[in-house]
Amino acid sequence: MEESTEIRLPVRQLVALTTQSGSIDSRFAGADRAQEGSRIHRKLQRQEEGYRSEVTLSIHLVYRDIPFWIQGRADGILQEEGETVIDEIKTVAVSLDSIGPDDNAAYWAQALCYGYIYALQEGKERLTLRLTYYQIDTDEILRHRRSLDFAQLEEGFFDLLSRYQVWADFWQGWTAQRDASIASSTFPFTRYREGQRRMMGAVYKTVQERGRLYCQAPTGVGKTISSLFPAVKAVGEGMAEKLFYLTAKTVARRAAEEGLVKLREGGLRFRSVSLTAKDKICFLEERACNPDDCPYANGHFDRVSDAVMELLHGPDGIGRKEIEACAKKHRVCPFELGLDVTLWSDCIICDYNYLFDPQVYLKRFFSEERQGDYVFLIDEAHNLADRAREIFSARLYKSKVLEIKRLLGKDTGSKKLSSALAKVNSAMVAMRKECGEERFLLKKEQDGDFIDRLAALKGRCEEWLDRHKADSRLQAVLSFYFEVNSYLKIAQLFDERYVLFCERRGTEVISKQYCVDPSYLLGQAMERGRAAVLFSATLSPIQYFATVLGGGEGSKACTLPSPYPAQNLCLLVDDAISTKYNRREESAAAVSEAIWQVVSAREGNYIAYFPSYKYMEMVCEHFRDEHPEIALAVQTGEMDEGEREAFLARFDAPAQGGSLLGFCVLGGIYAEGIDLQGERLIGSIVVGVGLPQLNPETDVIRDYYEGQNRMGFAFAYQFPGMNKVLQAAGRVIRSEEDRGVVLLIDERFSAPRYRQLFPDHWRHAQTVRSPEAIARALTAFWEGEEERAL
């Protein structure tokens, strides 16, 4: 008989799967508010002499031939009247008179598990379980006790395990089947592309050594399969417990899903689940997570186990379609159903938020009680620095404060909250005065007085929300409460890597805690797993990305060559035109003419990329006037999802009876992530070096890194800008058969500081300094392609 894999089981998970019932209700209630609960826990824990708080307990055991490691953390252990007491603290908003001694079976089960483990390990023949309820409105305390001997503790504990057995048996059967399939699985393609073996070896070694890898894998290397395949092998060999494939965009998520489908075609059994944001997957027009307004929240916990088990016996790849269909059938919340399935999945495909965001990360995996040998595969990592700055920053608007104050009016039941709002508003008025004539005010120190006022406001919001559950204003106050709470959570992270911005816009004031350097927080988040692999087609210069994305000592870097022949790409640099901000109006006609030379050389689909909408529109107007026969597709800043899809659909087929020219912005939705193979796109024209527009936040980044490494301009402007250029240019060659042209327009592209950032497969770039030179180079290229085709 094969040895069973040990199941790591948090007490909370054991209890949730065996005793939880009822409805989802996220309306403001006292119970389980993490921050407030923690504060109250600490307060109560200090009140009793000899109280041992937050006691970690764990046990290894074998039950029905399955090894378990069960672990958790009791709120407290103390001696009371000569008897050992296991204490569980719960904060509640309901009247304590409504809580009976036998209510809340899940709470009692949790205390019982801790009691059994402690009694077994300490040789206790009897002890007391105590539930301590704290009423947050009245500060009243209610305590219910159960004195149990060891036999009763043991019986209760193993009753829970017996109810869990169906899940344990399922997981043991699944992992045996999965590991056997991994052992026999082979690379799903007949040959390896250049760089593919090297990337897979680097990924496998990173997992093996519990490290961190930064990998630039140009288009065509097959970075998705090259990261997934070795990571899957590591799971089969017991090195990794679970994979997290983290993406910034839907297209990368689809690539991961398709990569796993390809592996499954070869016989692999490997369950994956793709998570969709709550607002997108919710069945209601307006999300309301409570049993009164949502039939899927009402009784969710009574039905969700059946729904999870049904999904687990379906396809190995569980996506949005499967989750929604199952959720509707069983009348459960689709978002929570997806989260529950993650516990039984081998690969979780999800947004960056689920690992990095301090407010929404997956606590079921990344809490202190539950950490594992996870492998983080972080795709499109060139997007992570900007995204992390957003995740780790927070802002608060003065207008929102006044809006809530006006909403409350002169309601006598809201005086305390109105007073707290007035104090915060006064502080923000003072900020506006401090700005003077300047639009921005920058501080490197936290504003302690403002934080104190916000903390007081948060408390008043909680009191009001507790007492006005049926109030028509509840949703507005609750939404504002979350904004204040988010600001306060980020305030706990504020250190020398942050700055405090105050922005004045007329009477509006915005206070923003801005994370200038997210590397430390990103590194901390990646420590929640065994290994992290960050990869992208454009991760250059790689040491820059390793620095800003949390690469510490021991991190490895890997730069792979392009697998496609350099001669497939005609790369031209027109350095006779300056596209600097103060030269744009005078350069518009010359840029338009250079674009025309590219488009007129061969009929087909093209996209021209610009550093701003204004410059793009200026050149577009020139081009339209001069060449009205060319069909244009112009990106706008207000395109909805349907318009975006329609724009892209115009490039779905090769141009017929004329060319199609797209006008787009660098760094936008059409400059990366889109895959227009073959004749769908045969040329890109990149106008400018992609520098971010001048603004106070980018200047703060420049000043910060100037102090760190004397490379402020490069870190804030040059490297991010060049990455946008590489992404836009990379839309052209998407397969071995693709042939195309890229024209770079800007005098700076010939400067050494930019040329050194060209990837190796760009070393053959030709310099062209006139429309005639562009025409000659393109004629030679396209005629050469025709000759090769013959």
Side-chain angles (χ1 to χ4, degrees):
M1 182 177 175
E2 289 187 14
E3 185 178 343
S4 297
T5 303
E6 184 176 66
I7 294 177
R8 298 176 62 179
L9 181 60
V11 168
R12 287 180 184 271
Q13 184 179 324
L14 169 62
V15 168
L17 278 166
T18 55
T19 66
Q20 198 166 22
S21 62
S23 304
I24 296 171
D25 194 345
S26 65
R27 290 175 298 194
F28 193 86
D32 297 327
R33 293 209 304 271
Q35 281 194 326
E36 183 68 3
S38 296
R39 183 187 67 80
I40 291 169
H41 281 209
R42 291 191 295 272
K43 174 182 175 180
L44 295 180
Q45 288 161 350
R46 287 194 297 266
Q47 288 180 356
E48 297 185 81
E49 189 176 342
Y51 194 106
R52 295 168 53 203
S53 61
E54 307 300 327
V55 180
T56 299
L57 296 166
S58 65
I59 184 174
H60 294 267
L61 57 87
V62 177
Y63 181 71
R64 296 182 183 173
D65 298 323
I66 296 177
F68 286 89
W69 177 26
I70 299 172
Q71 76 278 357
R73 194 166 57 189
D75 289 335
I77 300 177
L78 69 153
Q79 296 298 312
E80 186 181 71
E81 297 178 1
E83 189 162 302
T84 301
V85 176
I86 305 294
D87 192 30
E88 279 296 298
I89 302 170
K90 305 298 176 184
T91 57
V92 297
V94 300
S95 168
L96 295 184
D97 293 337
S98 67
I99 302 175
D102 296 323
D103 291 348
N104 301 312
Y107 297 166
W108 282 117
Q110 195 173 337
L112 182 141
C113 289
Y114 297 139
Y116 170 71
I117 296 171
Y118 186 80
L120 178 68
Q121 294 175 346
E122 299 297 324
K124 299 290 183 181
E125 293 185 5
R126 174 175 288 274
L127 50 73
T128 296
L129 308 182
R130 188 178 82 179
L131 293 188
T132 298
Y133 294 100
Y134 182 93
Q135 217 293 340
I136 60 170
D137 296 325
T138 63
D139 293 329
E140 291 177 287
I141 297 171
L142 171 68
R143 291 188 169 103
H144 288 308
R145 295 171 176 79
R146 288 181 181 175
S147 181
L148 303 178
D149 61 29
F150 183 78
Q152 291 171 307
L153 292 167
E154 187 173 50
E155 180 183 1
F157 179 81
F158 283 102
D159 177 61
L160 291 173
L161 268 188
S162 70
R163 284 187 259 166
Y164 185 81
Q165 189 67 30
V166 63
W167 299 97
D169 289 341
F170 167 79
W171 187 244
Q172 287 297 314
W174 168 256
T175 54
Q177 188 178 18
R178 179 199 68 191
D179 292 350
S181 76
I182 293 174
S184 62
S185 66
T186 58
F187 190 66
F189 298 99
T190 55
R191 65 181 182 86
Y192 294 95
R193 293 176 179 175
E194 185 176 359
Q196 209 157 37
R197 279 184 180 272
R198 184 179 163 200
M199 181 173 176
M200 288 193 294
V203 171
Y204 184 86
K205 191 173 182 182
T206 299
V207 178
Q208 190 178 47
E209 296 179 351
R210 299 178 177 271
R212 206 169 291 169
L213 174 68
Y214 297 82
C215 182
Q216 177 168 273
T219 301
V221 168
K223 56 188 174 67
T224 303
I225 204 71
S226 299
S227 61
L228 278 172
F229 184 66
V232 167
K233 285 289 187 183
V235 171
E237 293 171 18
M239 284 190 289
E241 178 182 342
K242 200 179 292 286
L243 309 183
F244 288 82
Y245 196 102
L246 299 140
T247 72
K249 298 182 179 177
T250 303
V251 65
R253 184 183 71 186
R254 290 198 194 107
E257 292 169 343
E258 290 164 4
L260 287 169
V261 167
K262 193 71 181 175
L263 290 169
R264 292 185 188 114
E265 289 173 357
L268 176 70
R269 301 301 309 278
F270 202 77
R271 181 171 293 106
S272 64
V273 59
S274 298
L275 297 181
T276 304
K278 185 182 288 189
D279 284 334
K280 288 185 177 181
I281 203 170
C282 179
F283 294 143
L284 303 185
E285 285 188 18
E286 186 174 338
R287 180 158 58 87
C289 303
N290 67 77
D292 293 340
D293 297 316
C294 178
Y296 303 97
N298 189 14
H300 166 90
F301 294 113
D302 299 328
R303 301 181 296 271
V304 71
S305 291
D306 291 339
V308 171
M309 194 58 82
E310 181 175 307
L311 278 176
L312 297 181
H313 284 88
D316 289 352
I318 302 171
R320 178 173 178 174
K321 181 179 71 173
E322 290 78 17
I323 290 171
E324 287 182 336
C326 186
K328 284 181 178 177
K329 176 181 175 181
H330 291 271
R331 285 192 306 116
V332 296
C333 170
F335 179 72
E336 293 295 333
L337 175 60
L339 291 181
D340 284 344
V341 172
T342 62
L343 294 170
W344 312 99
S345 298
D346 308 300
C347 179
I348 300 167
I349 302 169
C350 59
D351 187 86
Y352 292 159
N353 284 348
Y354 290 98
L355 172 61
F356 297 113
D357 193 321
Q359 304 188 64
V360 302
Y361 72 88
L362 293 173
K363 295 178 177 61
R364 64 186 64 203
F365 296 111
F366 307 136
S367 67
E368 291 182 24
E369 291 182 21
R370 183 72 168 89
Q371 301 216 353
D373 283 333
Y374 308 131
V375 175
F376 305 129
L377 304 177
I378 303 170
D379 199 357
E380 302 296 345
H382 65 276
N383 287 310
L384 185 54
D386 285 343
R387 182 69 178 279
R389 289 189 177 106
E390 176 187 329
I391 286 171
F392 297 128
S393 299
R395 68 184 73 197
L396 196 66
Y397 290 80
K398 177 181 177 295
S399 58
K400 289 288 186 72
V401 178
L402 276 180
E403 179 185 324
I404 300 301
K405 192 171 187 308
R406 287 170 183 153
L407 185 68
L408 297 176
K410 296 182 179 180
D411 176 12
T412 56
S414 304
K415 281 185 177 179
K416 289 182 178 179
L417 177 54
S418 292
S419 174
L421 286 163
K423 290 177 181 178
V424 170
N425 184 66
S426 296
M428 299 189 85
V429 169
M431 291 178 193
R432 186 173 62 206
K433 290 179 181 177
E434 197 174 354
C435 286
E437 296 301 314
E438 299 297 323
R439 183 179 168 189
F440 289 94
L441 178 67
L442 172 68
K443 295 181 178 180
K444 293 187 178 180
E445 301 294 330
Q446 181 62 275
D447 186 337
D449 176 67
F450 187 60
I451 295 300
D452 289 343
R453 294 187 187 208
L454 283 179
L457 173 59
K458 173 176 174 282
R460 295 306 185 194
C461 280
E462 289 171 351
E463 292 172 3
W464 190 94
L465 288 162
D466 277 338
R467 292 168 179 160
H468 294 77
K469 292 186 174 66
D471 197 301
S472 61
R473 300 166 295 181
L474 181 132
Q475 198 55 48
V477 176
L478 181 60
S479 177
F480 175 72
Y481 166 79
F482 287 141
E483 290 181 37
V484 172
N485 201 35
S486 294
Y487 194 96
L488 289 171
K489 282 185 176 181
I490 294 301
Q492 295 175 353
L493 304 175
F494 196 102
D495 60 11
E496 68 275 8
R497 303 170 188 87
Y498 275 79
V499 296
L500 189 63
F501 270 117
C502 177
E503 182 181 355
R504 179 182 58 79
R505 297 181 188 171
T507 59
E508 177 69 284
V509 181
I510 306 164
S511 178
K512 181 175 182 180
Q513 300 171 101
Y514 182 59
C515 181
V516 182
D517 176 8
S519 61
Y520 174 74
L521 295 172
L522 289 172
Q524 270 195 325
M526 287 186 280
E527 287 296 324
R528 294 172 180 146
R530 176 190 181 104
V533 179
L534 300 91
F535 53 97
S536 169
T538 57
L539 217 57
S540 177
I542 204 159
Q543 288 307 320
Y544 155 73
F545 280 101
T547 299
V548 298
L549 298 182
E553 286 187 21
S555 295
K556 301 290 197 306
C558 176
T559 302
L560 304 174
S562 171
Y564 301 145
Q567 62 266 25
N568 289 8
L569 175 67
C570 177
L571 180 63
L572 307 177
V573 177
D574 186 343
D575 63 359
I577 300 174
S578 172
T579 71
K580 290 180 179 178
Y581 184 79
N582 59 358
R583 304 285 297 276
R584 287 180 181 174
E585 193 165 344
E586 66 183 78
S587 67
V591 170
S592 174
E593 178 61 23
I595 294 172
W596 165 246
Q597 293 301 325
V598 175
V599 174
S600 62
R602 182 185 177 186
E603 187 176 280
N605 294 339
Y606 299 86
I607 297 180
Y609 295 98
F610 293 82
S612 70
Y613 280 105
K614 185 177 180 181
Y615 193 25
M616 178 192 78
E617 291 160 2
M618 194 186 305
V619 175
C620 182
E621 186 178 343
H622 271 278
F623 193 92
R624 184 182 282 116
D625 290 344
E626 294 292 327
H627 311 286
E629 72 280 10
I630 300 296
L632 303 183
V634 183
Q635 180 183 358
T636 67
E638 297 81 29
M639 298 171 87
D640 60 28
E641 190 170 348
E643 291 171 324
R644 291 195 295 266
E645 290 176 357
F647 180 99
L648 207 55
R650 296 185 66 182
F651 292 84
D652 279 349
Q656 295 181 349
S659 291
L660 172 64
L661 172 62
F663 278 81
C664 300
V665 290
L666 278 169
I669 56 174
Y670 303 117
E672 60 175 276
I674 60 170
D675 197 15
L676 301 172
Q677 286 193 25
E679 296 294 313
R680 294 176 67 196
L681 186 70
I682 63 169
S684 286
I685 302 98
V686 181
V687 182
V689 292
L691 298 184
Q693 293 186 15
L694 293 170
N695 63 67
E697 290 179 358
T698 312
D699 282 347
V700 165
I701 297 171
R702 178 199 62 200
D703 295 343
Y704 175 85
Y705 284 106
E706 190 65 24
Q708 294 287 311
N709 55 23
R710 310 298 297 173
M711 295 182 70
F713 177 79
F715 269 53
Y717 288 98
Q718 184 190 7
F719 295 161
M722 194 60 188
N723 201 266
K724 294 178 186 176
V725 171
L726 293 170
Q727 280 289 328
R731 298 311 97 203
V732 177
I733 305 297
R734 309 298 298 174
S735 73
E736 293 176 343
E737 293 75 32
D738 284 4
R739 305 286 187 275
V741 58
V742 169
L743 172 63
L744 308 177
I745 301 176
D746 194 286
E747 61 186 2
R748 288 166 288 188
F749 281 121
S750 286
R753 69 186 303 177
Y754 282 95
R755 279 296 174 110
Q756 69 184 6
L757 299 179
F758 281 22
D760 287 341
H761 58 281
W762 276 21
R763 299 301 178 192
H764 66 296
Q766 303 176 59
T767 302
V768 288
R769 295 194 169 101
S770 67
E772 296 76 17
I774 296 171
R776 286 194 299 270
L778 289 173
T779 298
F781 175 74
W782 290 123
E783 287 180 353
E785 291 304 310
E786 290 172 6
E787 290 173 8
R788 273 194 286 273
L790 294 173

